[in-house]
């Protein structure tokens, strides 16, 4: 998968490149808005990481131009400015996510992967986390290479958690997914399905586990030891 | 018209104006009376002197004088004038009637000085007389002429006019005073309007709107220099704030870029043996830099607190944000309390900072496997409850001070987290307090004032 990093600080580019290459991406880097416009025009990248403060202009303009040309790729913005207006402006201009400097490379990689796991994204067809794999087309799940049988509802929940790996998935969002399957979901349907799913993952010796964030929802994360 | 406030410049000016006007009017009326009376007296005296002179002159020509009626007919004296003429020894030379002589026996004029007197009644006369005793030179040596006439009717008219005027004045003057004061107040009010406008303008200036300057065009010249001085003070203030703001923004950028590079580089090592501890150090530095920037932002006073936002969704965002970190540290976070919006007015990012600091603290100070609860209540409160050891009562009074750290343990931190919480709450006119729960663990409570409830 090919990513474009648009960032003027060479040392940060180096760090990002190393981290992203280690995570299995192919990375191109540019450091001006002009180069960014050209690169986005010529090459069909799977995602872009955009710094807002560039020497020859505002990174937001790159974002707006790309979106006006119909570019669909996920774009994550980086900014040292943590004023809420900047985030809102960035998201309004068509950014898919944002991170504030300083950020952890691990966080960046997981955010990028999450963006790519969206339906239609480069990682959208086969979802991966730890030793768990979900083929969204074949509707098959493997844990540590062994197929695991999940109900339709469990599979739907797992798919959603994989797409937002490492972040909280609100319970209401899962409920909505189940509404699409069940006409009359029971009040405790979600906890019951999550419970079954959790047990099946543990039984298959998955390296990821489902955590409950009481009051909000669930979170799929790598096992802490 | 608004009622005048006590202590206001308007009231003081109006009172002073009213008092001055009242005193001036009373003095003017008093002077008028005084002069009127003096004129009336002078007229009487002139008249009496004239008659006394005529009598003295006539006495030189003939003696005894012609009968009283003849004197009146010749216009020497008035018909109702009484007189007596005595020589230096007090012997009566001529007189109009004995009763008058009797009544005036005690009156005598010394040399060069005449005596005016009033007789309430004499003989058969009951009406008051005003009289004059004067010394005149004559062929028979010095004589004393005493003349008196009833209180002059012409002067009485004058007096009547005066008293009539006084009667009118007693009710006209208060009306005049009231009208003058009202006109004065209206004039003062009109004159002070620019000042009031300026005050309103000045009151609207806040740290977020420091570029506003007070209008000086319509101001009275006495006030304009003061307003100009205020504007200059605002210039300097704005400059100071601007420097502070620039520092915050620059510091944010300058500190974060190298931190990003360092933390990224360390993460990329992965296999190095000391990467783990170094990463912890960098994490700590990241947190410290973030906290310092939060403190700088709070100190610069540029926080916009006008936004209306939902405390519940604010708490939810913080719990969502903290959940992966908590799981990484083998602890849990939970959101409890109301699920409906709790709207307050303030600065949402600042409140999020405060809440994040509280949750971070709780996660640091509590044992593995425990849960940190964020509870939102309907009455604008957020409680952060943990299952840790609680707060040592000896330290309770210090924990909200900047850079204070518990000396009895060596948990990492700069001692800024709770100071930030406390300052954010102060800016929101709210409070933060804590208590140790009977079942164990500490509970920090953020209370937002009801006036902030929107």
């Amino acid at each position: 998968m090919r990513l474009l990093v648009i960032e003027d600080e060479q040392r940060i580019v180096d760090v990002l490149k190393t981290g992203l290459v280690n995570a299995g991406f192919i990375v191109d880097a540019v450091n001006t808005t002009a180069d960014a416009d050209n690169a986005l025009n010529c090459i069909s990248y799977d995602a872009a990481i955009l710094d807002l403060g560039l020497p020859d202009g505002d990174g937001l303009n790159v974002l707006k131009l790309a979106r006006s040309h119909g570019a669909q790729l996920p774009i994550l913005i980086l900014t040292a400015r943590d004023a809420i207006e900047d985030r809102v402006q960035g998201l309004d201009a068509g950014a898919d996510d944002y991170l504030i400097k300083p950020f952890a490379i691990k966080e960046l990689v997981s955010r990028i992967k999450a963006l790519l796991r969206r339906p239609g994204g480069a990682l959208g067809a086969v979802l991966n986390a730890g030793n768990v794999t979900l083929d969204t087309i074949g509707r098959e799940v493997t844990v540590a290479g062994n197929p695991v049988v999940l109900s339709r509802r469990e599979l739907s929940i797992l798919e959603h958690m994989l797409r937002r790996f490492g972040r909280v998935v609100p319970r209401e969002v899962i409920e909505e997914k189940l509404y699409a399957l069940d006409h009359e979901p029971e009040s405790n349907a979600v906890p019951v399905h999550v419970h079954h799913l959790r047990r099946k993952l543990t039984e298959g010796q998955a390296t990821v586990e489902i955590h409950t964030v009481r009051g909000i929802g669930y979170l799929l994360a790598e096992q802490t030891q | 018209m608004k009622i005048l406030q006590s202590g206001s410049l308007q009231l003081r000016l109006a009172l002073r104006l009213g008092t001055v006007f009242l005193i001036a009017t009373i003095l003017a009326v008093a002077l008028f009376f005084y002069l009127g009376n003096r004129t009336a007296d002078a007229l009487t005296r002139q008249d009496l002197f004239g008659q006394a002179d005529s009598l003295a002159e006539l006495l030189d020509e003939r003696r005894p004088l012609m009968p009283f009626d003849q004197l009146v007919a010749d216009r020497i004296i008035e018909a109702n004038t009484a007189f007596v003429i005595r020589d230096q020894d007090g012997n009566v030379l001529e007189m109009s009637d004995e009763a008058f002589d009797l009544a005036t026996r005690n009156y005598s004029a010394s040399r060069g000085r005449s005596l005016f007197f009033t007789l309430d009644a004499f003989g058969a006369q009951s009406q008051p007389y005003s009289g004059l005793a004067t010394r005149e030179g004559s062929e028979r040596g010095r004589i004393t002429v005493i003349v008196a006439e009833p209180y002059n009717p012409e002067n009485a008219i004058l007096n009547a006019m005066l008293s009539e005027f006084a009667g009118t004045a007693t009710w006209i003057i208060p009306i005049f005073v009231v009208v003058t004061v009202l006109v004065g107040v209206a004039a003062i009010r009109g004159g002070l309007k620019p000042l009031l406008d300026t005050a309103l303008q000045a009151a609207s200036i806040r740290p977020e709107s420091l570029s506003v300057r007070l209008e000086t065009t319509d101001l009275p010249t006495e006030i304009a220099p003061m307003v100009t001085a205020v504007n200059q003070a605002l210039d300097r203030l704005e400059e100071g704030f601007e420097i502070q703001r620039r520092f915050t923004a620059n510091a944010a950028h300058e500190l974060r870029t190298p931190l990003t590079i360092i933390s990224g580089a360390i993460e990329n090592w992965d296999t190095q043996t000391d990467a783990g501890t170094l990463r912890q150090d960098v994490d700590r530095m990241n947190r410290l830099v973030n906290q310092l920037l939060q403190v700088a932002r709070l100190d610069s006073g540029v926080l916009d607190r006008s936004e209306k936002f939902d405390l519940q969704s604010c708490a939810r965002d913080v719990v969502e944000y903290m959940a992966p970190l908590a799981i990484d540290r083998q602890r849990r976070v939970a959101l409890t309390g109301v699920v409906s919006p709790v709207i307050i007015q303030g600065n949402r990012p600042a409140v999020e900072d405060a809440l994040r600091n509280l949750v971070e603290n709780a996660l640091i100070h509590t044992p593995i496997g425990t849960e940190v609860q964020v509870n939102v209540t309907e009455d604008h409160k957020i409680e952060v409850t943990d299952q840790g050891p609680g707060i040592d009562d000896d330290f309770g009074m210090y924990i909200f001070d900047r850079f204070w750290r518990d000396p009895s343990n060596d948990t990492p931190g700069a001692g800024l987290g709770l100071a930030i919480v406390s300052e954010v709450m102060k800016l929101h006119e709210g409070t933060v307090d804590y208590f140790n729960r009977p079942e164990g663990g500490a509970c920090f409570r953020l209370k937002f004032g009801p006036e902030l409830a929107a």
Side-chain angles (χ1 to χ4, degrees):
Chain A
M1 270 152 297
R2 197 160 179 186
L3 305 184
L4 179 64
V5 171
I6 308 156
E7 161 71 65
D8 61 318
E9 183 77 46
Q10 192 52 46
R11 303 274 322 269
I12 293 188
V13 172
D14 292 344
V15 162
L16 289 181
K17 261 189 161 173
T18 313
L20 291 168
V21 168
N22 286 349
F25 295 102
I26 296 161
V27 182
D28 292 341
V30 293
N31 50 28
T32 61
T33 60
D35 289 351
D37 292 340
N38 282 335
L40 286 170
N41 232 347
C42 300
I43 301 166
S44 146
Y45 287 102
D46 293 304
I49 296 161
L50 171 65
D51 182 37
L52 285 188
L54 293 171
D56 65 334
D58 195 334
L60 281 181
N61 294 332
V62 175
L63 182 58
K64 286 176 191 157
L65 190 71
R67 292 293 186 234
S68 74
H69 289 167
Q72 298 280 317
L73 81 166
I75 297 179
L76 182 146
I77 50 179
L78 294 180
T79 174
R81 300 178 262 170
D82 57 353
I84 194 145
E85 303 89 64
D86 288 345
R87 310 181 205 176
V88 172
Q89 267 182 13
L91 295 175
D92 282 353
D96 297 274
D97 204 350
Y98 65 88
L99 268 182
I100 292 160
K101 294 178 188 171
F103 50 84
I105 301 288
K106 206 166 81 182
E107 172 88 3
L108 177 70
V109 170
S110 80
R111 296 279 186 113
I112 288 286
K113 280 187 174 166
L115 290 178
L116 293 172
R117 277 189 209 108
R118 288 183 179 180
L123 294 172
V126 178
L127 304 173
N128 268 305
N131 59 2
V132 176
T133 309
L134 191 156
D135 179 349
T136 57
I137 296 157
R139 312 305 285 167
E140 286 162 4
V141 176
T142 63
V143 176
N146 308 314
V148 172
V149 182
L150 297 182
S151 72
R152 274 195 311 160
R153 293 171 195 85
E154 289 157 8
L155 195 118
S156 171
I157 294 170
L158 181 61
E159 175 182 346
H160 213 74
M161 288 188 163
L162 284 168
R163 290 195 196 282
R164 297 211 12 130
F165 182 71
R167 296 170 83 177
V168 178
V169 182
R171 184 180 157 152
E172 305 88 81
V173 172
I174 297 178
E175 258 161 15
E176 274 169 36
K177 299 286 158 190
L178 295 189
Y179 268 111
L181 296 170
D182 290 335
H183 292 296
E184 290 169 44
E186 296 159 40
S187 61
N188 64 343
V190 173
V192 169
H193 294 309
V194 169
H195 175 75
H196 290 152
L197 180 59
R198 192 179 267 149
R199 206 192 60 220
K200 286 179 184 175
L201 288 179
T202 315
E203 281 171 0
Q205 293 185 320
T207 54
V208 294
E209 58 185 336
I210 300 172
H211 297 269
T212 304
V213 180
R214 211 151 60 80
I216 301 185
Y218 303 93
L219 183 151
L220 188 66
E222 302 228 26
Q223 250 167 1
T224 48
Q225 36 308 83
Chain B
M1 198 185 271
K2 209 170 57 183
I3 289 168
L4 290 174
Q5 289 169 349
S6 68
S8 75
L9 192 57
Q10 291 188 31
L11 182 69
R12 285 186 216 180
L13 285 176
L15 278 180
R16 229 162 264 199
L17 190 70
T19 313
V20 166
F21 186 81
L22 193 66
I23 291 171
T25 313
I26 289 170
L27 284 180
V29 169
L31 189 68
F32 182 69
F33 270 94
Y34 174 69
L35 290 177
N37 277 322
R38 274 235 330 223
T39 311
D41 287 349
L43 284 173
T44 310
R45 286 171 190 193
Q46 251 175 7
D47 193 26
L48 290 173
F49 266 120
Q51 294 186 55
D53 283 350
S54 304
L55 282 171
E57 266 171 45
L58 200 60
L59 199 67
D60 282 343
E61 284 168 29
R62 59 168 82 186
R63 181 131 203 274
L65 285 171
M66 57 190 81
F68 189 84
D69 290 348
Q70 190 61 45
L71 285 172
V72 173
D74 286 355
R75 295 196 169 265
I76 305 295
I77 57 171
E78 303 282 338
N80 44 14
T81 300
F83 67 88
V84 58
I85 302 172
R86 300 197 188 96
D87 63 13
Q88 350 190 31
D89 305 322
N91 302 317
V92 174
L93 302 178
E94 297 282 344
M95 61 178 177
S96 55
D97 56 280
E98 280 191 38
F100 187 64
D101 173 39
L102 273 171
T104 59
R105 205 148 274 175
N106 291 329
Y107 298 120
S108 64
S110 53
R111 183 183 305 189
R113 192 184 292 167
S114 307
L115 173 77
F116 292 97
F117 60 88
T118 312
L119 275 180
D120 285 339
F122 66 93
Q125 295 294 343
S126 58
Q127 73 185 111
Y129 271 61
S130 39
L132 164 75
T134 181
R135 260 196 193 185
E136 303 270 343
S138 76
E139 284 162 12
R140 295 160 202 244
R142 302 216 165 268
I143 55 168
T144 300
V145 183
I146 299 176
V147 289
E149 60 182 12
Y151 206 66
N152 194 322
E154 287 165 40
N155 297 346
I157 286 175
L158 196 59
N159 280 326
M161 275 172 61
L162 282 175
S163 62
E164 185 66 24
F165 173 75
T168 313
T170 46
W171 64 267
I172 283 224
I173 286 174
I175 293 179
F176 246 66
V177 170
V178 168
V179 168
T180 312
V181 167
L182 288 182
V183 169
V185 165
I188 292 164
R189 202 164 265 242
L192 290 182
K193 177 115 194 329
L195 193 60
L196 287 177
D197 290 348
T198 309
L200 281 179
Q201 234 184 331
S204 70
I205 295 180
R206 322 193 123 268
E208 310 85 87
S209 60
L210 264 185
S211 56
V212 175
R213 287 294 174 273
L214 304 178
E215 197 63 54
T216 50
T217 43
D218 274 344
L219 283 181
T221 48
E222 293 90 336
I223 312 260
M226 196 177 86
V227 173
T228 310
V230 168
N231 276 342
Q232 284 163 353
L234 281 174
D235 284 344
R236 293 189 290 272
L237 204 60
E238 188 186 14
E239 204 184 329
F241 269 111
E242 188 50 41
I243 289 169
Q244 181 88 27
R245 227 174 295 189
R246 266 205 307 268
F247 169 78
T248 309
N250 288 348
H253 191 74
E254 296 308 321
L255 289 169
R256 283 171 179 190
T257 303
L259 270 175
T260 307
I261 294 166
I262 294 169
S263 61
I266 292 171
E267 266 186 81
N268 289 336
W269 287 349
D270 238 8
T271 49
Q272 304 277 357
T273 43
D274 47 358
T277 50
L278 263 181
R279 200 173 301 158
Q280 278 173 17
D281 289 335
V282 171
D283 282 349
R284 229 151 78 189
M285 251 170 88
N286 274 347
R287 187 169 178 227
L288 178 59
V289 165
N290 276 330
Q291 287 183 331
L292 280 173
L293 289 171
Q294 286 163 17
V295 167
R297 238 191 338 260
L298 289 172
D299 284 350
S300 70
V302 294
L303 276 193
D304 175 11
R305 277 161 285 152
S306 60
E307 189 199 351
K308 283 180 183 172
F309 68 93
D310 175 11
L311 270 187
Q312 204 271 341
S313 99
C314 176
R316 188 187 169 102
D317 281 359
V318 171
V319 173
E320 269 189 40
Y321 176 87
M322 296 303 297
L325 281 86
I327 286 164
D328 210 37
R329 289 179 179 152
Q330 293 167 274
R331 290 159 179 90
R332 298 187 305 276
V333 280
L335 178 72
T336 57
V338 292
V339 289
S340 49
V342 179
I343 305 293
I344 68 158
Q345 196 177 352
N347 186 292
R348 178 167 178 157
V351 174
E352 279 183 12
D353 281 346
L355 201 50
R356 220 174 6 246
N357 274 304
L358 279 182
V359 176
E360 262 173 346
N361 265 358
L363 288 175
I364 288 171
H365 291 107
T366 52
I368 286 178
T370 58
E371 186 180 70
V372 174
Q373 267 183 39
V374 178
N375 184 51
V376 185
T377 68
E378 218 166 314
D379 54 346
H380 317 114
K381 276 193 300 229
I382 302 185
E383 292 156 346
V384 178
T385 310
D386 65 39
Q387 294 161 9
I391 311 279
D392 190 328
D393 280 338
D394 294 341
F395 303 141
M397 58 209 292
Y398 306 116
I399 58 170
F400 293 107
D401 292 351
R402 277 187 193 180
F403 300 109
W404 187 86
R405 295 180 53 196
D406 181 352
S408 66
N409 70 43
D410 55 353
T411 47
L416 280 174
L418 288 178
I420 290 169
V421 174
S422 147
E423 277 163 54
V424 166
M425 291 314 292
K426 234 179 268 169
L427 277 173
H428 282 81
E429 282 148 56
T431 55
V432 53
D433 59 0
Y434 80 92
F435 57 89
N436 288 323
R437 299 185 305 144
E439 59 269 46
C443 174
F444 281 86
R445 198 161 41 184
L446 306 181
K447 264 189 240 176
F448 293 87
E451 65 275 14
L452 280 166

